[in-house]
Amino acid sequence: MAEGDHQAENIVVATAEKIFSDLADPQTINHDKDDRWQAPLWEALSDAGLPLALVPEHLGGAGVDAADGFGVLAAAGRFALSVPLAETMLAGWLLAQAGIAPPEGEMTVAPVRPQDAITLHADGTLSGRARGVPFAKASRHIAVLVSGTSGLSVALVPTDRPRIDTGLNLAFDGSDSVVFDRVEPARIAAVPVGFDQTSLMLMGGVVRSLQIAGALDSLLAITVKYASDRIAFEKPIAKFQAVQHNLAKLAGESAAALAAATSAADALANATAFDDAVFLEATSAKIRCGEAAEKGAAIAHQVHGAIGFTTEHILHRHSLRALAWRDDFGSESFWAVELGKRIAARGADELWPLVASR
């Protein structure tokens, strides 16, 4: 990457981090019971062009490089962001695949689960059910991947048209069921040849992997600081061998998640198609980050003890979101099976060199 590209990446990510630091501080949000922080945060994000960062300029987006957008998503994970920034970025990217200019405001994407499918009827209406759609109630539009007799298309659907059944994930963020019953979309267009639902799941999986890695990075920092400050038997608990062992394990899980997520993001940013190498990188990242979320959250809460479970402490903002993001766009168990199938069908000798070559 050229020096100018590095500078651009630093500017984009630094802008996001500055906005998050000023308007999405986890401790401030934790004490704001009226959600007054959301409107100023979203306005600042929109003014900076971040929700449409992955949309080309000719479609009305910011047109930043995928690597820059992935950096923003990792930063959002570090702040345990609970507004639909990642979802809007992903929805804008999906709409762009079909050449649809995204509207203003919050968006989300469907389906989020690999087993769900939305059908496009001959009359142009949509039917089906998408479960666990993040922030559907809080969004203005949904970018929906739909299947018809002529193939796959992307539909832009205002959220006042389908029925939305309210749901919550582990972190108490919106995770809604969206029911399409002959719903008429606002826009619809075909996707390019080779793009399918697995492509969407892989992209979403990389997004969630980056967010999980970011959340684990914060979990580690919070836990190390607590262990250094917490005094027991006249010395910081970080001095005890058992606690040191736990901190080392947490650091290992955080590092593993970061390595897997950034490797997958780099592969996807530099790929021209969702080929076997991208599949291996993305699925491996989702599996490893999901495992790291489970182990890392358990260690962080164990070190904190009872205080880590209280609503007043910010630890749960990061741990619960890391755990909740595991199930979006395919859980680690789902991708482990799919990865095994791909290797069995193609052969490990054929597939693994593709990853090594990157």
Side-chain angles (χ1 to χ4, degrees):
M1 183 182 290
E3 181 180 354
D5 293 333
H6 278 297
Q7 292 174 348
E9 179 181 0
N10 290 337
I11 290 172
V12 172
V13 177
T15 298
E17 290 179 335
K18 180 67 165 59
I19 294 173
F20 298 155
S21 179
D22 290 345
L23 300 172
D25 174 67
Q27 194 69 268
T28 302
I29 291 174
N30 215 32
H31 289 89
D32 184 357
K33 306 305 180 184
D34 298 323
D35 294 334
R36 289 169 297 181
W37 56 272
Q38 290 186 353
L41 171 61
W42 190 260
E43 182 179 359
L45 293 172
S46 299
D47 289 345
L50 295 177
L52 301 181
L54 298 178
V55 178
E57 290 185 28
H58 73 272
L59 291 176
V64 305
D65 290 340
D68 300 350
F70 288 145
V72 171
L73 290 163
R78 288 194 294 273
F79 281 83
L81 209 63
S82 53
V83 295
L85 174 62
E87 292 74 16
T88 301
M89 291 174 67
L90 186 57
W93 170 85
L94 179 59
L95 291 169
Q97 303 308 301
I100 299 175
E104 294 183 356
E106 299 90 336
M107 293 188 290
T108 190
V109 64
V112 176
R113 299 187 180 182
Q115 301 88 347
D116 292 347
I118 311 302
T119 301
L120 172 63
H121 299 290
D123 63 358
T125 61
L126 312 178
S127 293
R129 181 180 182 183
R131 299 165 296 165
V133 178
F135 296 107
K137 276 276 190 180
S139 299
R140 299 184 188 180
H141 292 86
I142 308 175
V144 188
L145 186 66
V146 300
S147 176
T149 55
S150 59
L152 293 177
S153 299
V154 175
L156 176 64
V157 180
T159 50
D160 60 357
R161 297 185 184 181
R163 190 182 87 231
I164 300 179
D165 298 327
T166 302
L168 297 172
N169 64 17
L170 285 173
F172 302 100
D173 292 330
S175 181
D176 310 311
S177 290
V178 183
V179 180
F180 300 87
D181 185 8
R182 294 283 179 174
V183 170
E184 182 178 354
R187 291 283 307 280
I188 190 165
V191 297
V193 175
F195 188 94
D196 57 16
Q197 187 157 326
T198 298
S199 305
L200 173 58
M201 294 300 122
L202 292 175
M203 180 65 170
V206 171
V207 168
R208 287 302 193 231
S209 295
L210 288 164
Q211 291 178 281
I212 289 172
L216 286 172
D217 185 48
S218 291
L219 274 181
L220 175 62
I222 294 168
T223 304
V224 168
K225 184 179 187 308
Y226 175 80
S228 300
D229 294 343
R230 177 75 167 87
I231 304 297
F233 302 104
E234 299 182 352
K235 63 180 179 180
I237 64 172
K239 298 291 186 180
F240 292 96
Q241 186 174 4
V243 176
Q244 291 176 349
H245 180 63
N246 272 339
L247 292 176
K249 289 197 296 182
L250 177 55
E253 293 299 327
S254 177
L258 180 62
T262 54
S263 180
D266 181 66
L268 192 50
N270 291 289
T272 56
F274 287 88
D275 55 18
D276 285 336
V278 169
F279 181 89
L280 290 171
E281 288 274 10
T283 56
S284 299
K286 193 61 162 61
I287 293 167
R288 189 62 186 92
C289 289
E291 293 173 348
E294 180 182 14
K295 296 175 182 177
I299 293 169
H301 281 281
Q302 184 178 20
V303 172
H304 277 80
I307 194 173
F309 290 92
T310 63
T311 57
E312 289 79 11
H313 201 283
I314 64 171
L315 186 71
H316 67 88
R317 291 194 58 82
H318 299 83
S319 62
L320 291 180
R321 284 182 177 81
L323 292 171
W325 290 330
R326 293 169 62 195
D327 292 331
D328 292 343
F329 304 102
S331 65
E332 58 260 36
S333 59
F334 170 82
W335 286 120
V337 171
E338 294 301 308
L339 181 58
K341 289 179 181 177
R342 182 73 63 104
I343 293 174
R346 307 285 180 84
D349 292 340
E350 177 185 344
L351 293 180
W352 290 118
L354 295 174
V355 177
S357 68
R358 290 186 180 273

